[in-house]
Amino acid sequence: MKKLLVLVMALVMLVAVGCGGGSSKNMFKDEGELVRIMDELKNKDGLKGHDLMVFQDIPLTHPEQEGAGDMIEIYIVKPGTEDVDHYAYSNGKWQGPDPVQLSGDGRMEDNVTPMNSINFAKVPDMYKQLEAKAKDVEGGKVEDMLVYILGPDGMYASWGVEGTREKYNAEFDLNGNLTIYEKE
């Protein structure tokens, strides 16, 4: 009976590991995961082989809820046009392109950033920097959303540490260097 129980438990473990029953990857913590995800986008039909331009902001989320995976919203200028398409990453895959209606009289070049100028490989280092800072904050933890924001001086990454009694905002340049860390 013991042998049968051990065999059944071993079989269950093998199936769980083989089916991805282990922990899922986290684009904020796991080296190369966000790069892999963004490479999947770059290799989609219509985008592969082009220098991609990101339209405005990019929110990236890794919810703490059990079973919730990484999520990304990104707007890409369709290569060779001034049309913008929306792509969304969730449940381990990219959805899109979905056409976007633009309004306003702004110039396209003032609203875009070359995708290759964003060093997504630095996100785990950025996370580690904030994790270290969170240790000095009562109940501190790194927020589950990182946003690349297109500001008047170009794109930067905005992230934060939230504690029981206080909250801090952090800004990073596109190479992952911490430029601002201040209490809100």
Side-chain angles (χ1 to χ4, degrees):
M1 184 69 171
K2 251 185 188 179
K3 285 184 182 178
L4 183 60
L5 183 59
V6 169
L7 182 61
V8 169
M9 288 178 61
L11 185 58
V12 167
M13 291 295 289
L14 187 61
V15 169
V17 170
C19 294
S23 63
S24 63
K25 296 214 174 201
N26 178 326
M27 69 180 163
F28 291 160
K29 296 180 183 180
D30 296 328
E31 298 287 333
E33 180 63 8
L34 182 54
V35 172
R36 182 194 64 76
I37 291 168
M38 298 312 278
D39 284 348
E40 283 181 12
L41 175 65
K42 292 176 189 176
N43 286 312
K44 284 184 70 74
D45 290 342
L47 302 180
K48 188 173 184 170
H50 294 280
D51 293 328
L52 302 180
M53 299 298 284
V54 176
F55 183 78
Q56 297 185 346
D57 304 341
I58 311 169
L60 301 99
T61 308
H62 182 83
E64 288 192 22
Q65 300 98 291
E66 187 69 30
D70 297 325
M71 295 180 287
I72 302 170
E73 298 283 331
I74 191 167
Y75 297 86
I76 301 289
V77 178
K78 188 174 180 178
T81 74
E82 287 204 355
D83 295 333
V84 175
D85 289 327
H86 172 256
Y87 294 86
Y89 181 85
S90 65
N91 298 317
K93 60 185 172 185
W94 284 102
Q95 303 294 321
D98 296 313
V100 175
Q101 289 183 1
L102 299 178
S103 60
D105 57 359
R107 298 177 330 151
M108 181 61 74
E109 58 267 16
D110 295 335
N111 289 283
V112 296
T113 302
M115 189 171 195
N116 64 7
S117 71
I118 305 168
N119 192 345
F120 292 111
K122 294 293 185 177
V123 168
D125 293 334
M126 294 160 50
Y127 186 88
K128 288 175 190 169
Q129 290 178 57
L130 289 184
E131 248 184 346
K133 292 195 176 292
K135 290 177 182 177
D136 295 331
V137 177
E138 180 185 332
K141 64 180 184 174
V142 180
E143 292 179 337
D144 63 2
M145 180 180 275
L146 157 66
V147 182
Y148 282 93
I149 298 173
L150 181 60
D153 297 325
M155 187 168 269
Y156 64 95
S158 177
W159 215 340
V161 170
E162 189 163 349
T164 307
R165 302 176 188 276
E166 54 196 348
K167 186 174 182 177
Y168 291 83
N169 181 54
E171 292 181 8
F172 297 85
D173 66 21
L174 297 183
N175 288 312
N177 300 307
L178 183 63
T179 57
I180 295 173
Y181 183 76
E182 60 192 8
K183 189 173 179 179
E184 287 188 15

